[in-house]
Amino acid sequence: GSRLLLAHASPYYKAQFGNGSVEGVIGVVKPDPDFSFDAHTALLGQLHAMGHTPLLAFLEVRLELLRLAAKVRAPGGEDGRADGAALVFERCERAVRDSICADNCLA
């Protein structure tokens, strides 16, 4: 389930499941320690729902999800199509941009 989804949605995860890797042998990806459990869970939720699930309301988690998606995405394939993680990145980027206001911007 999730292994196939991750490998299909992101070249970053596809490489982690490559031949001879520990992740490929045991079938489990170690979460990136630079990101919270919430960010990893949100990324999986977005990929499983193909972007048809609401983003978390908390701006901090959206920003972290944006950073995680930026790390694992590919900008576009040979045919110009973006991968699933790139689509999550674009969705998060749009949501963060739309939520910027005078109350949450740096002065």
Side-chain angles (χ1 to χ4, degrees):
S2 291
R3 179 180 169 174
L4 178 63
L5 175 72
L6 288 173
H8 181 71
S10 167
Y12 175 87
Y13 290 116
K14 185 176 184 177
Q16 283 196 345
F17 289 123
N19 294 335
S21 71
V22 173
E23 291 86 356
V25 172
I26 63 173
V28 176
V29 173
K30 291 182 191 174
D32 188 318
D34 292 336
F35 300 95
S36 70
F37 175 80
D38 289 339
H40 285 283
T41 301
L43 178 62
L44 276 176
Q46 289 295 313
L47 293 174
H48 274 285
M50 301 178 81
H52 294 291
T53 190
L55 291 168
L56 295 174
F58 302 109
L59 181 59
E60 296 82 17
V61 178
R62 284 184 183 183
L63 288 170
E64 189 178 14
L65 177 57
L66 177 66
R67 286 186 19 249
L68 177 57
K71 181 174 184 174
V72 302
R73 72 184 170 127
E78 294 172 7
D79 58 2
R81 291 185 319 179
D83 60 33
L87 297 174
V88 172
F89 172 83
E90 292 168 9
R91 189 163 182 242
C92 287
E93 183 179 46
R94 196 172 27 251
V96 167
R97 186 180 56 238
D98 291 347
S99 67
I100 292 175
C101 67
D103 292 334
N104 62 17
C105 285
L106 297 176

